[in-house]
Amino acid sequence: ENKPAVYTIAKAGTGTNCHRLNIRKEPNKDSEILKVIFKGDDVEIVDESTPDGWLSVVLSDGTKGYTMKDYIN
C-alpha cells in the first residue's frame, strides 16, 4: 500500500503574547492579512530564517503565511 509522504513539522508554537495575531501574505507589516489567530491558537513553524524577526507558518486549516516571532511561544 502506497502512503502519501508525511509533512514534517519543523517546530510548533502557540500565540501567547497578544490577544490577536495577524498572519500575513509576506514577511512585512504592510502585507495583506490572510488570517487572524488568537491567543492560545497553535501554528506550525516552517522557517525561522525569514528577515527581521518574521516566521513562516502554517495554520491548522492549511493557510501558509508569516507572523512576527515576538508573539509566538
Side-chain angles (χ1 to χ4, degrees):
E1 173 184 345
N2 281 341
K3 293 185 178 181
V6 176
Y7 182 77
T8 302
I9 300 169
K11 189 174 175 184
T14 304
T16 57
N17 297 334
C18 61
H19 294 290
R20 296 169 42 121
L21 183 60
N22 295 326
I23 304 300
R24 296 188 179 270
K25 187 173 184 176
E26 300 294 332
N28 67 68
K29 290 182 181 179
D30 297 323
S31 181
E32 174 187 350
I33 297 171
L34 300 175
K35 290 272 184 172
V36 176
I37 63 171
F38 297 91
K39 185 174 181 175
D41 287 350
D42 292 329
V43 298
E44 296 175 9
I45 300 168
V46 179
D47 187 358
E48 295 185 64
S49 64
T50 53
D52 301 323
W54 289 85
L55 296 172
S56 173
V57 298
V58 177
L59 304 183
S60 60
D61 67 359
T63 301
K64 296 177 182 179
Y66 297 88
T67 194
M68 294 293 295
K69 182 184 264 185
D70 291 347
Y71 298 107
I72 299 293
N73 180 18

